[in-house]
Amino acid sequence: MNVLGIDIGGSAVKGAPVDTRTGKLLAERFRIETPDKVTPQRMGEIIAGIAGHFRWRGRIGAGFPGVVEGSTIRTSANLHKKFVGCDLGAIIEKAAKRRVRIINDADAAGMAEMQFGAGRGQKGVVLMLTLGTGVGSALFWRGVLQPNTELGHLPIRGKSAEKFIAASARRTRDLSWEEWGAELGDYVRILEKILWPELIVIGGGVSDKHRKFFKYMKTRARLVPAEFFNNAGIVGAALAGADNA
Ligand code: BGC
């Protein structure tokens, strides 16, 4: 099935049509900067605009950076608080006039990697972390997703871990790759003590620079970069959109 996959992020909203049988993008992705303090209604219009760009007539799957229950948003750490409690699925459906499925953005990225990328065929515990504006997580066992794990909010020094180890935090805290990589490594080792994954997949835009920081992370589990790099969120959102359940 072909589904329009959308990745809603703190810095940009990106979309592309995806062949959900192969995970391949069917056209070059279209990107719109996320406006400051964007409201759910405006987000609906932005996504309708992306659908219009592709003259899209099919289904839409969208990944959102927060906890998603059904099509309702429960948390919004890095976007407007007005998203919390709103039925974003219904808002997008109204604006784009298409059938829409919403999923947590990191869960989407993890689904793409499990199906077509670095987690293909892995039956044990797999942890995917996405490093971007925030830190997202997706946890799988026997290929099945445990939805809405929010491991980026594990408290460290009284704050959400993502404040220290997101890709954005490396820049705002002006850390070297070594300093940031070592902190990220400490955080991942805490997760390993609790979850015992056998494979850890690191995604987000920074994953294509993994050679700069993997060497400072000492993990028990095998540590690999996402194969989709920054497109996992789009592909996984499309997979969620294709799901009839
Ligand atoms: C949100 C997660 C999201 C992650 C990455 C966190 O702040 O709570 O739901 O997956 O950012 O966007």
Side-chain angles (χ1 to χ4, degrees):
M1 183 187 284
N2 296 344
V3 177
L4 179 62
I6 306 268
D7 188 7
I8 301 173
S11 52
V13 186
K14 295 163 278 186
V18 176
D19 179 343
T20 60
R21 282 156 312 187
T22 61
K24 294 244 165 21
L25 265 52
L26 297 166
E28 199 172 315
R29 66 182 197 172
F30 184 61
R31 179 180 197 278
I32 294 181
E33 301 275 302
T34 310
D36 249 7
K37 305 207 176 74
V38 65
T39 61
Q41 304 300 332
R42 179 81 192 96
M43 186 57 81
E45 289 160 17
I46 289 172
I47 292 172
I50 295 177
H53 168 86
F54 292 107
R55 296 200 174 77
W56 194 249
R57 295 280 165 267
R59 295 183 186 194
I60 297 177
F64 181 85
V67 172
V68 179
E69 277 182 338
S71 56
T72 300
I73 305 302
R74 295 294 177 207
T75 69
S76 173
N78 296 305
L79 286 178
H80 206 300
K81 296 297 171 226
K82 274 195 182 153
F83 280 96
V84 177
C86 91
D87 186 341
L88 187 60
I91 291 172
I92 302 172
E93 283 193 348
K94 200 162 159 223
K97 302 191 177 58
R98 310 259 62 91
R99 216 166 129 189
V100 176
R101 176 66 74 89
I102 312 277
I103 179 176
N104 170 264
D105 59 352
D107 285 352
M111 279 171 59
E113 290 294 331
M114 290 304 284
Q115 196 134 338
F116 304 113
R120 226 173 16 242
Q122 293 289 326
K123 294 281 174 250
V125 175
V126 179
L127 172 65
M128 162 116 195
L129 295 174
T130 62
L131 308 174
T133 310
V135 173
S137 58
L139 190 65
F140 296 85
W141 184 56
R142 297 197 171 161
V144 179
L145 171 72
Q146 153 81 52
N148 289 317
T149 54
E150 285 284 314
L151 300 174
H153 294 290
L154 189 84
I156 289 187
R157 286 175 253 146
K159 288 191 184 157
S160 281
E162 68 176 19
K163 299 275 178 256
F164 301 103
I165 45 105
S168 59
R170 187 184 66 82
R171 292 187 296 269
T172 53
R173 297 177 65 211
D174 201 17
L175 297 181
S176 66
W177 286 105
E178 180 171 3
E179 289 164 329
W180 180 73
E183 278 196 42
L184 182 60
D186 289 345
Y187 161 77
V188 169
R189 267 198 308 279
I190 298 175
L191 299 184
E192 286 201 290
K193 274 193 187 165
I194 301 167
L195 300 168
W196 287 81
E198 58 182 54
L199 176 70
I200 299 173
V201 183
I202 302 289
V206 76
S207 59
D208 62 358
K209 308 219 168 53
H210 64 276
R211 284 200 179 79
K212 291 191 194 280
F213 63 94
F214 272 19
K215 55 187 169 209
Y216 306 118
M217 300 170 70
K218 308 245 170 322
T219 58
R220 182 197 73 104
R222 200 152 61 81
L223 184 69
V224 294
E227 284 181 17
F228 281 95
F229 293 119
N230 221 4
N231 283 338
I234 293 176
V235 173
L239 290 178
D243 186 358
N244 279 319

